[in-house]
Amino acid sequence: MTDRIVAADVLVTSPGRNFVTLKITTADGLVGWGDATLNGRELAVVSYLRDHVCPILVGRDPARIEDTWQYLYRGVYWRRGPVTMAAIGAVDLALWDIKGKACGQPVYQLLGGAVRDRIPSYTHAPGWDVPALCDAVQAVRERGFRAVRVQTGVPGLDSVYGVTKDGSAYEPAGRGRALVEEVWDSDAYLRYVPGALAEVRSAVGPELALLHDVHHRLTPIQAARLGQALEPVDLFWLEDVTPAENQEVLRLVRQHTTTPLAIGEVFTTVWEFQQLLTEQLIDFVRAAVSHAGGITPLRRIAALAEVWQVRLAPHGPSDVSPIALAGATHVGLATPNFAIQEYMGYPERVHEVFRHAWTYADGHLHPGDAPGLGVEVDEALAARFPYEPAYLPVARRRDGTLTDW
Ligand code: EZ4
Ligand code: CO
């Protein structure tokens, strides 16, 4: 007999970081969980779901994942955009969770089964200067990682996004209604970073995969120069070199460097990747399973990328909840052109609120074999951590004008 959705509820919890979670319940008593977290605009997605999506989910057949995706995407007239896609992504994740539970299978089995034994992952190593950065890299290696994102301070700047001065783990979003303002200087960064990363490379040896994230800060010609200057460092990838809106500018970057390029954590649909893929302007797709609308469209993005020998490397910072991370690991295990999963890690309390079957060991993730996505939310514990406003910093140049991070 066909099951029916009987309830769709939204939970907000902040066990160190704000998370928005969708809970879908069916008449057969199955519960599916989806991640709807959009950092800095959390409550907009809550309203989108509560006011507009949850009421129309009730009564629908939870087995019709693709149809529900099309219904929510096409049915609204207004398409795309991070709020819409994060909301649809949460529904899609929750319905895959329910389908897995209904079949008694982990989601990766429903996607065609495992094509790899485990999922290579990378984490972050921030260090204000080269010695601190080398220490951070060493600590991460001791946890088993064979791939590390390296971010450094810049001489002359007081703060740099993603880098702490004392080497502690960084929390990108500052709590409070007022956004932290940082001063940014691309010239100082460009003068310093190639040499600093070259020193890191000679300290760590040739085998460790090094990644670096530019956070959309550069102009095309600056990005081209940086890619070229970093070629001796042999990066696994250079990420988000230019602002995300104009993909054509990557042509210029590509003409000047063979440093592999990764892009797309802020992209939400396959169409934003279309030109980047068909013109072979990038090497890695960084879409998040939640922000890009769920497992269903992420598989389509991966399929298009596969045609152009571009690999999938989903976004996985601490603002992507353990539910979306689970989704990414199921996709990763079952998708041939998956490359690597970002795993920034979570404070202990997050692991307690989101009890997950996925595991990290020896530089790799695995989704586990629990039915569905394999994450259950401790609702009573979640309720003890209410939402608090938290925002990423904004950056200004030395003359006071706003810049991209
Ligand atoms: O700064 O998700 O590749 N990863 C990243 C992240 C983002 C955070 C923003 O909250 O760029 O660290
Ligand atoms: Co990034």
Side-chain angles (χ1 to χ4, degrees):
M1 217 178 69
T2 309
D3 197 6
R4 288 277 167 240
I5 294 172
V6 293
D9 304 292
V10 184
L11 278 71
V12 185
T13 183
S14 192
R17 189 85 198 228
N18 290 315
F19 295 113
V20 179
T21 304
L22 176 68
K23 177 187 183 186
I24 296 181
T25 309
T26 78
D28 287 353
L30 297 174
V31 170
W33 299 102
D35 179 17
T37 308
L38 185 65
N39 59 296
R41 292 295 182 270
E42 293 88 352
L43 302 184
V45 187
V46 173
S47 165
Y48 194 107
L49 285 167
R50 273 193 191 140
D51 297 334
H52 302 293
V53 174
C54 292
I56 55 172
L57 289 177
V58 173
R60 293 183 67 84
D61 176 357
R64 296 184 63 160
I65 301 176
E66 178 75 50
D67 183 61
T68 299
W69 194 91
Q70 299 288 337
Y71 185 81
L72 293 174
Y73 183 78
R74 295 175 194 279
V76 202
Y77 185 71
W78 299 105
R79 297 185 184 183
R80 308 187 289 178
V83 175
T84 294
M85 299 312 291
I88 297 177
V91 175
D92 188 81
L93 283 161
L95 294 183
W96 277 104
D97 193 22
I98 287 170
K99 191 180 284 288
K101 287 168 176 166
C103 303
Q105 293 288 334
V107 166
Y108 76 82
Q109 293 290 9
L110 309 180
L111 300 175
V115 295
R116 55 178 52 78
D117 301 327
R118 52 189 190 153
I119 294 166
S121 69
Y122 76 91
T123 197
H124 298 186
W128 188 256
D129 52 25
V130 171
L133 186 52
C134 289
D135 288 349
V137 170
Q138 186 51 32
V140 158
R141 279 184 119 169
E142 282 163 15
R143 290 165 54 209
F145 286 98
R146 271 83 127 181
V148 186
R149 189 187 89 164
V150 284
Q151 307 292 121
T152 80
V154 175
L157 295 184
D158 292 335
S159 58
V160 170
Y161 175 77
V163 185
T164 50
K165 280 200 166 147
D166 61 0
S168 58
Y170 83 97
E171 166 49 60
R175 297 238 156 191
R177 293 199 178 277
L179 276 61
V180 171
E181 298 205 356
E182 296 182 338
V183 173
W184 177 251
D185 182 339
S186 289
D187 297 318
Y189 167 78
L190 288 168
R191 279 194 299 272
Y192 180 69
V193 158
L197 295 193
E199 284 184 55
V200 172
R201 171 55 81 201
S202 50
V204 301
E207 279 172 31
L208 186 71
L210 296 176
L211 300 76
H212 181 66
D213 195 337
V214 188
H215 293 303
H216 316 276
R217 288 167 175 145
L218 300 178
T219 67
I221 200 70
Q222 288 172 332
R225 246 180 64 209
L226 180 63
Q228 212 172 59
L230 287 171
E231 279 172 22
V233 179
D234 188 24
L235 287 181
F236 187 84
W237 77 42
L238 184 64
E239 176 176 345
D240 285 339
V241 284
T242 52
E245 294 93 341
N246 185 353
Q247 283 97 343
E248 285 186 22
V249 301
L250 266 295
R251 280 191 200 134
L252 181 117
V253 182
R254 201 61 156 171
Q255 280 158 11
H256 289 281
T257 181
T258 56
T259 292
L261 301 176
I263 253 184
E265 67 187 50
V266 299
F267 293 173
T268 60
T269 67
V270 69
W271 292 280
E272 287 153 285
F273 287 105
Q274 185 178 355
Q275 182 181 19
L276 295 176
L277 294 172
T278 58
E279 291 193 30
Q280 302 181 57
L281 300 180
I282 58 171
D283 302 282
F284 298 93
V285 159
R286 301 250 38 233
V289 65
S290 48
H291 302 145
I295 289 172
T296 303
L298 190 65
R299 293 274 281 179
R300 276 202 276 277
I301 293 171
L304 182 64
E306 188 178 16
V307 172
W308 302 98
Q309 289 180 272
V310 173
R311 293 190 288 161
L312 184 67
H315 197 208
S318 54
D319 49 85
V320 164
S321 98
I323 299 169
L325 196 81
T329 60
H330 284 280
V331 170
L333 206 68
T335 301
N337 64 319
F338 168 92
I340 196 164
Q341 178 61 48
E342 182 179 26
Y343 179 47
M344 197 172 152
Y346 301 99
E348 196 46 44
R349 274 202 312 221
V350 175
H351 295 288
E352 289 162 12
V353 170
F354 298 91
R355 294 193 314 270
H356 52 84
W358 57 259
T359 51
Y360 166 80
D362 192 30
H364 294 77
L365 291 160
H366 191 284
D369 282 303
L373 293 173
V375 184
E376 295 303 323
V377 180
D378 183 333
E379 293 180 64
L381 188 58
R384 287 171 43 196
F385 307 115
Y387 166 82
E388 280 180 49
Y391 298 99
L392 297 186
V394 289
R396 293 186 187 275
R397 299 183 191 89
R398 291 193 188 280
D399 69 357
T401 51
L402 278 163
T403 179
D404 288 285
W405 279 18

